[in-house]
Amino acid sequence: MAFEAELRRARGAAPDTAAMWTALERAHILSQAWAWPHTRAHWHMFRLAVRCRDRAETVGQVVRILVAGAGSLSGRVPYGNTGRTSAGLLTPMPIPEDLRVLLGRADLPVDAALARGSVEGGAQ
């Protein structure tokens, strides 16, 4: 599973917090369509925010933990959003090409993906 591989990459990148965030952002993008993995991605982000003593990110991740599962179940998640507080809770974002392939969306133009505004399936 690509999602689990990104979580392992985040753990293995310690103590490089920038690399850890990158891996968790990628895990988040991969997880958005599924309630439990999506919530887990935010849990790991919360833990890293606490470790970094980033108060704003910590609070933002608490909010995201509370809404992630419901967003996934309802299909109302911002397609490609990295999951960070600075990204905005409902802001769709471009997806890295390799993740688009994993999600089965390699042929979908980025602009079209953003216009759709939600994740409706893909690989876990």
Side-chain angles (χ1 to χ4, degrees):
M1 293 174 124
F3 170 73
E4 296 293 342
E6 291 295 342
L7 292 182
R8 282 191 302 276
R9 191 164 72 94
R11 284 190 298 274
D16 181 351
T17 57
M20 293 173 76
W21 278 118
T22 298
L24 291 177
E25 289 172 357
R26 290 171 55 83
H28 177 266
I29 292 167
L30 291 168
S31 73
Q32 287 181 291
W34 299 277
W36 178 239
H38 188 186
T39 303
R40 281 182 60 212
H42 284 295
W43 170 250
H44 288 283
M45 289 179 162
F46 167 79
R47 291 177 56 204
L48 183 54
V50 169
R51 177 180 177 168
C52 293
R53 295 189 169 105
D54 184 334
R55 187 175 186 177
E57 189 71 43
T58 300
V59 171
Q61 291 305 322
V62 169
V63 171
R64 284 157 175 76
I65 288 168
L66 295 173
V67 301
S72 294
L73 290 173
S74 69
R76 296 184 49 87
V77 294
Y79 189 72
N81 186 290
T82 63
R84 297 288 301 274
T85 301
S86 61
L89 192 60
L90 298 173
T91 306
M93 302 170 80
I95 297 175
E97 182 64 30
D98 65 318
L99 298 186
R100 289 175 66 212
V101 169
L102 287 171
L103 291 168
R105 295 180 174 269
D107 60 336
L108 186 63
V110 172
D111 290 344
L114 292 175
R116 293 173 71 173
S118 67
V119 173
E120 297 163 352
Q124 183 177 1

